[in-house]
Amino acid sequence: MVRSVAHLGPRGTYSEMAALAYIRWAKLDTGDELMLRAYPSIAQALQATATGETEVTVVPVENSVEGSVAITLDMLWRLETLQIQKALVLPIVHAFLSRADRMQQVQTVYSHPQALGQCQGWIETQLPHARLIPTSSTTEALTHLQDDVRVGAIASEWAAQIYQLPVLAHAINDHADNCTKFWVLGRKASHQGNQTSLAFSLPINAPGALLKPLQILAAHDINMSRIESRPTKRSLGDYLFFIDIEADASLPNVKAALQSLKHCTETLKIFGSYSLLPIDNPCPSDPTTNTSAGAE
Amino acid sequence: MVRSVAHLGPRGTYSEMAALAYIRWAKLDTGDELMLRAYPSIAQALQATATGETEVTVVPVENSVEGSVAITLDMLWRLETLQIQKALVLPIVHAFLSRADRMQQVQTVYSHPQALGQCQGWIETQLPHARLIPTSSTTEALTHLQDDVRVGAIASEWAAQIYQLPVLAHAINDHADNCTKFWVLGRKASHQGNQTSLAFSLPINAPGALLKPLQILAAHDINMSRIESRPTKRSLGDYLFFIDIEADASLPNVKAALQSLKHCTETLKIFGSYSLLPIDNPCPSDPTTNTSAGAE
């Protein structure tokens, strides 16, 4: 059976780009031939790996402008079985795609809410009167272009190439170093790497109790590189905390800290230790050469 | 000049419901007659108050299931001039609106991404094959219903009443105590109340440095009720922290803590002290009696 990599589809999404980068790396590293497999939502892509339908799932976790991808964190907490095997960071360069001759013709812009947010300033300047319509992926936005010159979409130049759509403007993101971190999640832990992610709820319904876990990490000389709160969904003001630390969970000081954390948290989940994947050429130059399983 | 209250429109949104609750309270409290004024986005509603076009803006901050409303936090940090005058919490009860006779006829569901997220379980059970399409507000979703029995939308029962649309199912949110906190923001501070909100960036690009500010709050016996990180948008891994504390900023211990916070943060912004508005009847029973300025 050919093992596959789940991601948010359809073809041409940034998630597919990240999945392809992982596939190239896996081939060089272990000789494994993995296939792409697109899903209509991040939740469904994650479930595919949890149920064993795919080997791993590549999902966005955090963008440098728009912040966390809430559904990824919520699903990771809920699914229980998934472990982080790798992280990778892709530069995100948005293009404006449209069949219009001039920008002034465009009245409506479609894209994923994160992409619309990342190009907010550009849209305000270039298309101040345009109606903005969110879509479930940057690629889905392209289905609205058809032959209508009054419509535009924000996606990658790579998607424009795949779907043979005209690019009216390129690198339209407001922040030049816009990038997104992805996680590669599987049912097995990688058990190695200088980053560890975990999450916990607290025994008393007050984030004041958060100080204790942070003090434990500091006392064990562990640097926290990120903290993100998410609602437990039980009641307003009741949170889960997702924390990334710069340390391998197999080190003695980290083991000791995690042991102490158990005593001051309600539920503690360790999502594994992993390393950052080196990305040489994040944007595949020839989209026809990818190893798509044809599921998209 | 009639003073007005900006909110995310058009008519029938939960934001309008919160704005109406605030207008009713203001009338009882000060006799002030305020008018509603709808804007197409949260960002535009906030800008209206920042530029003096409206007296205040009522915006969602946080939902008990879907978490923070990122655009509200990002705009508050960016606009500089806005202060929180009041907070209010509305119960959120979603309804499923459609012209279909039977649920099985529905193939597509429109709603705001937060509402789709809050009814995810219900949708999976009742409409497992439906296509989910995000809209910019729950009310905008209703424009897609028209006479098409294959289409449904998630909004409040109140919106169904306003637009005279059939309700196929009610209270469809996955969590019964789903509620959203709103802030009333103005150019003046209220300067009183047992809640204070602030945000800061840190001098060194490492949230490990977050421990110090939290220790300062704890050392001054101040309970933190919420912490939320947002990207500074400078680079991945560089954050702002939004914090709510359970204390009035005019108290001596809070003054001292805020003074100390200045020394261990890069930029510190205090958004004011405020109290929670009591809500007796959050859902106006007769939508025709509201004081709409007709801007929607």
Side-chain angles (χ1 to χ4, degrees), chain B residues 61-207:
Chain B
V61 191
E62 183 187 12
N63 173 269
S64 58
V65 178
E66 287 298 296
S68 279
V69 181
I71 186 71
T72 297
L73 300 181
D74 289 357
M75 287 295 292
L76 187 58
W77 178 266
R78 213 170 88 182
L79 287 174
E80 304 262 344
T81 51
L82 296 183
Q83 291 280 305
I84 306 166
Q85 297 187 348
K86 283 279 171 199
L88 61 119
V89 176
L90 276 197
I92 303 291
V93 186
H94 292 301
F96 185 69
L97 284 58
S98 174
R99 295 199 188 277
D101 301 314
R102 299 182 318 279
M103 208 65 91
Q104 293 90 318
Q105 292 174 291
V106 179
Q107 291 168 16
T108 310
V109 179
Y110 290 87
S111 197
H112 189 274
Q114 286 244 349
L116 291 173
Q118 291 160 26
C119 303
Q120 209 175 304
W122 183 87
I123 296 169
E124 277 168 26
T125 320
Q126 299 293 320
L127 298 162
H129 306 297
R131 201 172 150 221
L132 308 182
I133 303 192
T135 55
S136 60
S137 70
T138 48
T139 303
E140 203 235 287
L142 306 181
T143 61
H144 298 275
L145 289 189
Q146 293 154 355
D147 290 324
D148 193 341
V149 296
R150 294 166 307 172
V151 171
I154 294 172
S156 66
E157 261 201 317
W158 180 55
Q161 235 180 298
I162 294 176
Y163 293 99
Q164 301 188 308
L165 290 163
V167 172
L168 233 63
H170 185 239
I172 65 167
N173 22 278
D174 299 334
H175 299 267
D177 44 7
N178 187 344
C179 52
T180 297
K181 187 199 262 184
F182 293 82
W183 276 341
V184 181
L185 294 150
R187 288 178 307 286
K188 285 178 292 194
S190 86
H191 289 311
Q192 52 183 351
N194 55 2
Q195 298 187 36
T196 301
S197 293
L198 51 104
F200 52 78
S201 57
L202 291 168
I204 56 160
N205 182 2

